[in-house]
Amino acid sequence: MGITGTYIAIENFLLSQIINGEKSILELDPTQYQSLNIDKSWQAIHYLLCKDIENGKPPMGYVVPIRDDNELDCELDFEAFYITAQQVKEATNFLNSLDDTVLENIYDFKSMQENAVYPLHGNKNEMDTGFFYEYIYSYLIKLREYFNQTAEKGYAIILYFS
């Protein structure tokens, strides 16, 4: 068990309604929308791309948008964040610019351990650096595809944790 991240692609007008308090995020049924669960990789991906645990600079900070300026006010046990359709496009362009060599060069397992990046923090089992990279990488590939599909539709994204 642990905190997993789930993305939901929604129309921009629906996001506006949620931001303005006209609709609740709890009214969304994730099965009715294009969604993607990235398991526990969310903070590790954010750290890999931004070299910080939260509040990464755009456009890399939009990929896992755990930013103070886009947190949704909701009644969830955990937090929820959003990015607009325009920010989805910016994040998509950024993700598409990353090749395997760039990702391997920015990966720093030791730094992730030292900064208690989730899910390494509190993990009783010693994770192997290669295994952990493959774990992150597998979800980055899924995220790239998800962002490409979402950008093509002109949708916004909500990321929530459960």
Side-chain angles (χ1 to χ4, degrees):
M1 192 88 178
I3 302 169
T4 63
T6 302
Y7 291 79
I8 302 174
I10 62 172
E11 298 87 356
N12 235 17
F13 77 88
L14 181 54
L15 176 62
S16 293
Q17 290 177 320
I18 292 169
I19 291 169
N20 295 330
E22 299 164 19
K23 235 184 201 335
S24 168
I25 188 174
L26 298 177
E27 294 177 50
L28 299 180
D29 177 0
T31 63
Q32 301 300 313
Y33 297 91
Q34 180 185 5
S35 63
L36 175 68
N37 183 294
I38 61 165
D39 194 47
K40 301 173 195 172
S41 70
W42 53 273
Q43 192 175 64
I45 290 172
H46 185 80
Y47 189 88
L48 174 72
L49 300 177
C50 301
K51 296 297 181 225
D52 203 347
I53 291 179
E54 58 185 26
N55 290 315
K57 294 180 182 177
M60 56 281 248
Y62 294 150
V63 177
V64 182
I66 44 180
R67 302 170 46 83
D68 292 337
D69 61 350
N70 67 339
E71 187 170 358
L72 287 171
D73 185 25
C74 61
E75 304 83 27
L76 295 173
D77 289 338
F78 294 98
E79 298 169 310
F81 301 87
Y82 70 90
I83 54 174
T84 65
Q86 178 58 41
Q87 292 167 333
V88 169
K89 289 178 184 174
E90 291 175 37
T92 301
N93 291 338
F94 171 72
L95 286 170
N96 288 333
S97 74
L98 300 175
D99 63 22
D100 291 349
T101 305
V102 169
L103 290 171
E104 288 172 11
N105 287 335
I106 62 175
Y107 176 66
D108 186 348
F109 183 73
K110 185 176 180 179
S111 176
M112 288 181 169
Q113 285 180 313
E114 289 169 356
N115 286 286
V117 171
Y118 184 76
L120 293 174
H121 176 67
N123 192 336
K124 303 278 187 252
N125 303 323
E126 285 295 319
M127 280 204 196
D128 172 84
T129 183
F131 169 80
F132 195 60
Y133 177 77
E134 288 302 318
Y135 173 73
I136 297 168
Y137 181 79
S138 70
Y139 283 106
L140 263 172
I141 297 304
K142 291 176 184 179
L143 271 172
R144 181 183 295 154
E145 182 179 324
Y146 181 79
F147 269 76
N148 276 305
Q149 293 170 357
T150 304
E152 279 180 25
K153 294 178 181 176
Y155 283 6
I157 288 177
I158 290 177
L159 169 63
Y160 71 92
F161 301 101
S162 57

